Amino acid sequence: MKTTHFAAALAVGMTAAAPALAELHFPSLSYRTGPFAPGGIPFADGYSDYLTLINERDGGIGGVRIRQSECETAYNTERGVECYQGLRGEDPLVLQPLSTGITYQLIPRTMQDQIPMHTMGYGRTSAVNGEVFNWTFNYPANYWDGASVIINYLLEENDGSLDDKKIALLYHNSAFGREPIPTLTRLSEREGFELLTIGVDSPGQQQSSQWLQIRRERPDYVIMWGWGVMNSTAIQEAANIRFPMENFIGVWWSGSEQDVIPVGAGAHGYKALAMHGTGRDYPVYDDLQTYVVDRGLAAGTGGELGTVNYSRGMYAAMLAVEAAKVAQEIHGVGQITPAMMRDGMANLVITEELMESLGLPGFGPAFEVDCTNHGGTGAAMIQQWDANAREWNLITDWILPDRELIMEMVMEDSLAYAAENDITPTCLDRSGG
Amino acid sequence: MIYREAGDYKLTYGADAQTFPIKGDRWAYWLALAFAAAVVPLFLTDYLAFALLVPFLIYVIAALGLNLLLGYCGQLSLGTGGFMAVGAYAAFKLMTAFPGLNIVFVIILAGLVTAAVGVLFGLPSLRIKGFYLAVATLAAQFFLVWLFTRAPWFFNYSPTGMITAPTRTLFGVPITGPSASGVSVYLFCLGFVVVLAWLARNLTRGSLGRSWMAIRDMDIAAEIIGVNPLRAKLSAFAISSFYVGIAGALLFTVALGAAEASEAFGIDKSFLVLFMVIIGGLGSILGAFIGAAFLIIGPVLLKLLLVNNLGWPTDLAAHVEVMIIGTLILVFLIAEPHGLTALWRTLKEKLRLWPFPY
């Protein structure tokens, strides 16, 4: 760490402050600029605000204060590398890049440097197999879970059969958007629906040809894997061609307020996956208001509390803090290292009682992490947009994915990765100390 | 006084035609080379290497390549990002198809593949020029990126379309993959830069470079005095693409480790390299270095200054950074429309006469 700062100081010709020792470093690889900033800003604010809350209300985790740092990636992989190289020497407890592209880049590097990475609801799905991806976690749900949950929901809606149905997948043409294609292809073979994959090039303001194709092909359902400006454009286009909104379902990254509000009344009835609850009806928000916003410590304006992406950032921070607590308990020390943090994440148990005690009853699913399953249960809910009340309503309970099929695919993909990279699948022992 | 040519006698034709006719320049060149190869690795951290120097060296190669085409042969190309993608994907296919192949040959072969593709897309240059050629090469950019995101053979049918560089070693030292150290990667890239810059410099001083410059200055006159435009233009496209392909291959294998065509090699890459060439100076080898330093090292240094030292919020710093770089580009181009090398050239003229200017 010292050398990095020395280098930075050398390069700029100024001195950098050396951090104090007893603190837990939670970095945030955020993007507050660029085409994906509308989603990146509330996530980063939620992440930061929850950590501030822990410092202000509880005096840190187990008495050790949290140090936050932020690095701007602009959703760009080259900047992601720069951020990672700057961070890796500073004992970051967990990395959350919020970008599937950066995740793919960091998986081998974090394995080498022994820094845990948590990709909540994004990233490489086959990281579920913790025997191959020792340092990568993607609980509580991943893309393949999401695809399967949507199909299970549609199966339920159609009395258990999707025969002769036509489902279109409108995806962001990147690693992120292509991730669900294998699952949906497998499911289409099994359930007998016809799958149509339509890519949208990043960032996605141009979708007229794609929606022309949808109008021509007349699919029964459209599933969207979009992020950033692509979402609202797609919902606008769907409204323009009068596509029935209740048959248009987005992934959890395509279901936030800023995706639907620009479309106005046309977005009424649009559905999206929800990997957690939203809205301000959770007791934790009172604490956030008291300890963070009212004290002027909020990362953002404080007005976005309870929005979808803010809630997700807060949820990610909450899971990180809980994992740190588990790690402290396992090792009996307050000042944990990244390797100890990994142990905490690998033994994380989230129960409904725990969620309730944290002021988030029913916010997220109960799940357990272990070495062979870094992915939780994969359950998600469906939410629907009410354009008149301007709010998301949860219309289902937790829907479980077809984990049998997903695990089968996870094993194929992760073992292929292990073979390519000479990894012997094994559970890591707990680190010493 | 200090920097002058008086007393620097040339006794042979070879000495008279050398790259650096002034003794001070020769010394500076060898000192810089020795510093880069022997001193820098001593204090090089992984952060300095991966965040600053390795990207800088790689973009120097790309800027050299585009400079050969645009600065020396006068053919405007906006396909640089696409050609870098060709280099990257060629390197990926070669690395996975022939795991035993030495990484140096992988990079060179990737450059050759790109050269072939470059010739193909350079064919329109025989009929069109200027802005029309820019549009034709723009088509190459979009076509190539489209190809690499839609044709699964190029990314070995991976479900996400990401390509990942496996670990390869040189003399037992890992060069690609997560275990490669900053020093080894830096020296690897430095080797390519030195050889390629030397090659570029000497190409432009030879008959091929002179035929390019003849085409650039007036193609009809060049044809009348016996320069074959087909040969000159296509060789410029081939050699330029070779450089750009090597840059793309290096960017993917040693700097990024994993890449995706639309994100890593989009149109913004083409513009970035073009700006480097314009800011550095068209038709100058040194310009490629200055331009790349300005646009690659500059933003990172600004970020370090604003965020790490002054403690600004990251988003504000990112916005201010864009504004500062933009303003600097304007200021430099107003002060010196021919790029930063022209400033250096003027300075050199002044230094030669100092302290007795006439």
Side-chain angles (χ1 to χ4, degrees), chain A residues 5 44 100 106 118 144 161 181 219 249 288 305 338 372-373 407 410 420 429:
Chain A
H5 263 259
T100 300
L106 293 188
H118 183 197
W144 295 355
S161 166
I181 295 177
I249 306 177
L288 272 170
L305 260 69
T372 52
N373 179 8
M407 284 313 283
V410 160
E420 270 172 35
D429 286 335

Side-chain angles (χ1 to χ4, degrees), chain A residues 11-12 15 32-33 70-71 76-79 82 85-86 88 104-105 108-109 173-175 178-179 182 201, chain B residues 46-47 50-51 59 149-150 159-160 162 178 255-256 258 260 262-263 269 301 303 305 309 314-315 318-319 321:
Chain A
V12 191
T15 49
R32 295 173 180 275
T33 64
E70 204 163 325
C71 189
N76 174 308
T77 44
E78 269 167 86
R79 276 180 176 242
E82 194 262 327
Q85 292 295 344
R88 57 182 264 211
Y104 267 79
Q105 220 164 27
R109 291 179 201 255
N173 199 358
S174 65
R178 282 190 288 261
E179 193 77 37
D201 285 329
Chain B
D46 276 2
Y47 178 78
F50 284 111
Y59 279 103
T149 49
R150 300 297 164 108
T160 52
M162 293 284 285
L256 296 177
E260 183 191 8
S262 58
E263 202 265 310
K269 279 284 178 301
L301 286 188
K303 190 211 116 173
L305 172 73
N309 285 299
T314 50
D315 52 341
H319 288 132
E321 181 190 303

Side-chain angles (χ1 to χ4, degrees), chain A residues 230-278:
Chain A
M230 173 184 163
N231 293 335
S232 52
T233 311
I235 297 167
Q236 182 69 61
E237 292 278 357
N240 290 351
I241 68 163
R242 298 180 196 285
F243 188 82
M245 276 296 163
E246 61 278 7
N247 294 343
F248 188 13
I249 306 177
V251 69
W252 39 67
W253 300 110
S254 306
S256 65
E257 289 79 4
Q258 58 263 46
D259 300 330
V260 280
I261 286 177
V263 187
H268 187 76
Y270 170 73
K271 291 174 184 169
L273 283 175
M275 56 194 284
H276 53 72
T278 49

Side-chain angles (χ1 to χ4, degrees), chain B residues 16 43 56 66 107 120 139 150 157 165 188 203 212-213 219 243 247 270 274 277 288 319 352:
Chain B
D16 202 31
F43 64 86
F56 162 68
L66 186 62
I107 305 284
L120 197 66
R150 300 297 164 108
Y157 304 93
F188 184 72
L203 270 177
W212 292 343
M213 285 185 265
D219 50 355
Y243 277 65
S270 301
L274 183 65
V277 173
H319 288 132
R352 280 186 193 186

